Amino acid sequence: FRLTDEQAVEQKLWYIYHIRDIIAAKVFKEKKQVYIWGTGRFGRIAKDIFDVFWENIKIEGYIDSYKKGFFKGYKIVLPKDVIKDDKAVIILAAVNGQEEMLKQLNKAKKVFHSDYFLLSPRMW
């Protein structure tokens, strides 16, 4: 197994350490499903990170506002189909459009580090 971007993963190691158990508890105790929002470079990196640090967690699919079909063998769904789902944990894995993603999540009253997590660089 080889990570898509080892440097990007290295930059997130401290963060992964802090969220690893939180995400695992969401999936195994609360029976939530994980979706990765982003079907580009950071979507690939987020999947690599899950394969290494959450090897027992199945990714349910990818979220994208513009693309349809499949990404890395997973179905792509629209944000509106997942954001309102109380059984979804969303992993933000995009830089372009991140501000709009955060607006949609906040509008839906989703909580950072509970309902969604950020595995791509943060837009400031």
Side-chain angles (χ1 to χ4, degrees):
F1 180 79
R2 186 171 188 282
L3 294 169
T4 303
D5 188 328
E6 294 171 2
Q7 185 178 14
V9 174
E10 182 180 305
Q11 292 172 351
K12 285 291 184 180
L13 281 178
W14 65 270
Y15 181 68
I16 294 166
Y17 172 79
H18 291 287
I19 65 171
R20 188 168 189 262
D21 291 339
I22 297 169
I23 291 175
K26 295 281 179 194
V27 171
F28 297 119
K29 291 181 183 174
E30 298 179 31
K31 307 291 185 215
K32 295 196 177 196
Q33 299 174 324
V34 176
Y35 290 85
I36 297 174
W37 194 343
T39 57
R41 175 176 171 235
F42 291 108
R44 287 189 300 277
I45 292 170
K47 176 65 170 91
D48 285 349
I49 289 171
F50 263 81
D51 287 346
V52 172
F53 296 98
W54 290 276
E55 65 277 356
N56 296 324
I57 293 179
K58 177 185 167 228
I59 301 298
E60 196 63 29
Y62 279 84
I63 304 169
D64 197 288
S65 299
Y66 307 104
K67 293 181 183 176
K68 295 180 181 182
F70 291 85
F71 183 75
K72 293 188 69 73
Y74 295 88
K75 185 174 181 179
I76 299 172
V77 296
L78 292 170
K80 67 180 179 76
D81 295 335
V82 178
I83 288 177
K84 294 181 181 177
D85 185 353
D86 289 335
K87 289 294 182 183
V89 172
I90 298 170
I91 307 301
L92 293 182
V95 175
N96 294 335
Q98 190 179 101
E99 186 176 337
E100 180 58 34
M101 294 172 174
L102 293 170
K103 282 181 188 176
Q104 289 182 49
L105 290 165
N106 289 330
K107 184 177 178 181
K109 303 200 184 318
K110 297 299 179 185
V111 178
F112 185 51
H113 285 167
S114 180
D115 301 311
Y116 69 95
F117 300 83
L118 185 66
L119 283 182
S120 60
R122 177 104 191 216
M123 297 289 295
W124 295 104

